[in-house]
Amino acid sequence: MIEFPILTMLVLVPTFGALLVAVISKRQPDLVKVTALLTSVLTGGMSLWVLFAFDKDATANDGFQFVSQHTWIKPWGISWHLGIDGISLFLVVLTGVLFPLVIAGIDPHHDHKRYLSWMLLLEAGVMGSFISLDLFLFFLFFEIVLVPMYFLIGGWGYDNRVYAATKFFLFTMVGSAFMLVGIVATAVLAKAGPGGAITFDLIDIAKNADFAASTGRWLFFAFAIAFAVKVPLFPLHTWLPDAHTQAPTGGSVILAGVLLKLGTYGLLRFGVFLFPEAAVWSRPLFLTLATIGIIWGAIAATMQTDLKRLVAYSSVAHLGFIVLGTFALTSSAITGGVTQMVNHGISTGALFILVGMIYERRHTREIAELKGLQKVAPVFAAAFMVVMLSSIGVPGLNGFVGEFMVLIGSFGSARWWVVVAAGGVILAALYLLWAYQRVFHGEPDEDNKSFAELKWKEGMLLLPFIGLIVFCGVYPKPMLDRVQPSVDRLLVHVEEKSNWQQPHPSEPVERIEEAHGEGDSADETTTEGEG
């Protein structure tokens, strides 16, 4: 029996949908919308099928499931190699759920045909990036994502949309140039294929490559620069507030929900997994940049006068927690980081939707011009409060789970970075609660008295987000049970390929840090039983 290539279809269905939308006549706008919606719903349905069919206890194929591998360019060792594990599973599901919600619930206001075609192509690129297990294939999808996002910002954004779109494209393109060099050099130097042949297969290179310590570090940084731009990590974050502020609401939701996760996911899948020795060696740098990003993003958010820009800077802070968890290199911290990737996409995506609704009603996002909205639209205010509290990380809501696991999981291996980063949680409460107070409390003036209450269609759009916020906050076990085994396999690989040893909860931190400081190269090994 031939197994159904479900992962291949996750890429091909939105691709064909984009082409179909592109060829449908502009004179049939209803057919355009229905075609795009059905395509995205079908893709989302397949992603949910993958979720329910996923076996959390599977160990074959290095933990990757639904694997599809076919030779593509044989002389260069390039293959159509797709697979999914616990680390990528919920990012694929999040992608499959977000796109139909955005397509169904957010109106681009003009040129629906091109907008929906770009949206579907963007979905195909994001899906391909999360499931690719071939370096060349991943780079192809990673680059495809840039084109539709550039046109979505530049074509449907606000006043400075062309500047923001160009800045986004240039930043990410420069980072991708480094990664392309790194990918080619990695494949050529590793020679991890059969008989020492060149291969771009991620699994073969991770298992069989034996880079010198200095070589691995240079290659790691070629990848890391591209992912640091995409996250974005401080100080490469300056494109993000402009892109978020000028992007249309749908573009902001997708950008925050899944596009930024290509950076955090890439650091984990293609950085730590391919170059474990270099990842361990560079820990202090990335932990420091992540911590600076957390504090800087929070302080910058506090100073914003534009509500959408405030939410954009909050993303810089929240993504810093994910990078902190990644380079803490403990099971709890990385599991929390992967969980936070999903939770941030849900919470911040919902925040951008709500800010977009405010702009539709008031044609301004300036906090100083908004006041007393709770009096005239209490249901809208309640929805905003739930999402805002989730972003703060209030216990019982999804934002708490990931951040708590990152902080408690990182304390054993990155104590002082965690002490500083914890201040970001307090600052998040400060800037979000203060913004809520100014926008929703008080007496509405003449301009705000006519602010419309939440409509049923808007409520139906927000309902899945709020439902996931509560469910993932109250009962995160199904997600954690599927993420953690893949994280544990990754850490076993890191320990085998480097001098890293996970801290034990009962072991004094000082001894752990001292043990990790021994030896800087891959040639040095930790004595068995030591520490």
Side-chain angles (χ1 to χ4, degrees):
M1 182 181 295
I2 299 175
E3 293 186 2
F4 182 71
I6 184 71
L7 298 189
T8 299
M9 296 307 293
L10 284 175
V11 176
L12 294 184
V13 168
T15 302
F16 286 131
L19 294 174
L20 187 58
V21 168
V23 299
I24 295 175
S25 173
K26 287 183 178 180
R27 298 172 185 175
Q28 297 177 293
D30 291 339
L31 181 59
V32 168
K33 183 68 177 282
V34 169
T35 302
L37 184 57
L38 287 177
T39 301
S40 62
V41 168
L42 177 58
T43 306
M46 289 191 295
S47 72
L48 290 174
W49 185 88
V50 168
L51 172 62
F52 289 113
F54 187 85
D55 182 2
K56 63 181 181 181
D57 300 317
T59 56
N61 295 319
D62 299 293
F64 290 97
Q65 299 180 42
F66 314 104
V67 174
S68 178
Q69 186 169 17
H70 307 281
T71 300
W72 185 11
I73 307 175
K74 190 173 182 180
W76 295 350
I78 297 173
S79 63
W80 179 268
H81 190 186
L82 307 177
I84 197 168
D85 68 349
I87 293 173
S88 55
L89 172 64
F90 288 96
L91 293 171
V92 168
V93 174
L94 180 63
T95 304
V97 170
L98 274 186
F99 274 89
L101 290 174
V102 168
I103 289 172
I106 300 176
D107 186 3
H109 298 299
H110 68 90
D111 205 350
H112 291 64
K113 177 182 168 180
R114 286 198 306 132
Y115 173 86
L116 294 172
S117 184
W118 285 127
M119 269 289 179
L120 291 174
L121 183 60
L122 181 61
E123 182 176 20
V126 173
M127 281 290 191
S129 299
F130 286 139
I131 60 180
S132 294
L133 297 180
D134 181 277
L135 296 184
F136 181 83
L137 189 63
F138 171 77
F139 179 79
L140 182 66
F141 285 122
F142 193 80
E143 291 303 289
I144 285 175
V145 165
L146 301 185
V147 179
M149 197 66 220
Y150 169 81
F151 283 109
L152 286 170
I153 297 173
W156 289 267
Y158 298 100
D159 295 341
N160 292 324
R161 59 185 180 275
V162 175
Y163 166 78
T166 304
K167 189 174 182 180
F168 158 77
F169 192 86
L170 290 177
F171 264 73
T172 49
M173 197 67 182
V174 170
S176 297
F178 283 95
M179 184 167 68
L180 178 59
V181 173
I183 285 174
V184 173
T186 299
V188 171
L189 295 175
K191 293 184 179 178
I198 293 176
T199 181
F200 285 82
D201 189 272
L202 171 70
I203 309 300
D204 288 344
I205 294 174
K207 279 185 172 182
N208 303 323
D210 186 20
F211 299 113
S214 59
T215 303
R217 292 170 188 177
W218 279 109
L219 294 174
F220 169 79
F221 275 103
F223 282 80
I225 289 171
F227 297 134
V229 171
K230 186 72 87 175
V231 172
L233 265 178
F234 178 92
L236 303 173
H237 67 286
T238 58
W239 65 266
L240 181 63
D242 292 323
H244 265 317
T245 305
Q246 299 303 322
T249 300
S252 290
V253 173
I254 297 302
L255 181 59
V258 291
L259 239 67
L260 302 183
K261 308 313 182 301
L262 294 179
T264 51
Y265 170 79
L267 283 172
L268 195 56
R269 175 72 79 216
F270 297 91
V272 176
F273 184 52
L274 271 181
F275 309 103
E277 189 280 334
V280 171
W281 174 77
S282 62
R283 283 180 69 246
L285 172 63
F286 284 93
L287 291 171
T288 301
L289 293 177
T291 304
I292 293 173
I294 291 168
I295 302 302
W296 172 258
I299 293 173
T302 308
M303 306 300 293
Q304 299 307 307
T305 59
D306 183 303
L307 191 57
K308 195 175 186 184
R309 201 169 180 86
L310 182 150
V311 178
Y313 272 107
S314 76
S315 284
V316 177
H318 287 130
L319 290 161
F321 279 105
I322 299 172
V323 177
L324 176 66
T326 298
F327 285 90
L329 292 180
T330 68
S331 180
S332 294
I334 297 179
T335 302
V338 174
T339 305
Q340 188 63 7
M341 289 187 210
V342 180
N343 290 336
H344 172 268
I346 297 169
S347 302
T348 307
L351 272 179
F352 278 119
I353 289 174
L354 287 161
V355 172
M357 291 177 182
I358 291 175
Y359 185 83
E360 291 291 322
R361 288 160 165 78
R362 287 284 287 107
H363 301 291
T364 182
R365 295 186 302 262
E366 287 296 318
I367 296 174
E369 297 181 23
L370 301 168
K371 186 179 180 182
L373 302 188
Q374 185 173 279
K375 286 281 183 73
V376 293
V379 178
F380 185 96
F384 197 102
M385 174 174 281
V386 172
V387 177
M388 182 246 334
L389 292 177
S390 166
S391 189
I392 290 174
V394 171
L397 301 178
N398 67 336
F400 172 77
V401 178
E403 287 189 4
F404 179 77
M405 290 187 68
V406 166
L407 291 174
I408 198 168
S410 302
F411 190 78
S413 62
R415 171 190 286 182
W416 298 113
W417 286 283
V418 170
V419 170
V420 177
V425 178
I426 300 170
L427 290 171
L430 170 65
Y431 63 75
L432 284 170
L433 287 172
W434 188 31
Y436 184 88
Q437 179 187 25
R438 288 178 288 169
V439 171
F440 289 94
H441 288 183
E443 290 294 329
D445 54 23
E446 288 299 321
D447 292 329
N448 292 303
K449 279 183 179 178
S450 59
F451 189 88
E453 181 57 284
L454 195 70
K455 301 171 185 174
W456 72 268
K457 182 181 177 182
E458 295 170 335
M460 294 302 294
L461 173 61
L462 288 171
L463 191 60
F465 288 93
I466 294 175
L468 288 171
I469 283 170
V470 175
F471 178 81
C472 294
V474 174
Y475 190 58
K477 187 176 185 296
M479 185 187 300
L480 301 179
D481 285 348
R482 287 157 178 78
V483 172
Q484 189 156 1
S486 296
V487 170
D488 290 341
R489 277 190 289 270
L490 171 65
L491 285 171
V492 168
H493 173 75
V494 171
E495 291 176 355
E496 290 174 350
K497 295 285 186 175
S498 70
N499 65 338
W500 177 253
Q501 186 178 11
Q502 259 197 99
H504 191 275
S506 62
E507 190 173 0
V509 177
E510 289 79 4
R511 289 186 59 196
I512 294 165
E513 292 174 342
E514 183 180 341
H516 295 166
E518 296 174 10
D520 288 328
S521 72
D523 299 327
E524 298 181 52
T525 57
T526 305
T527 305
E528 184 176 353
E530 184 177 295

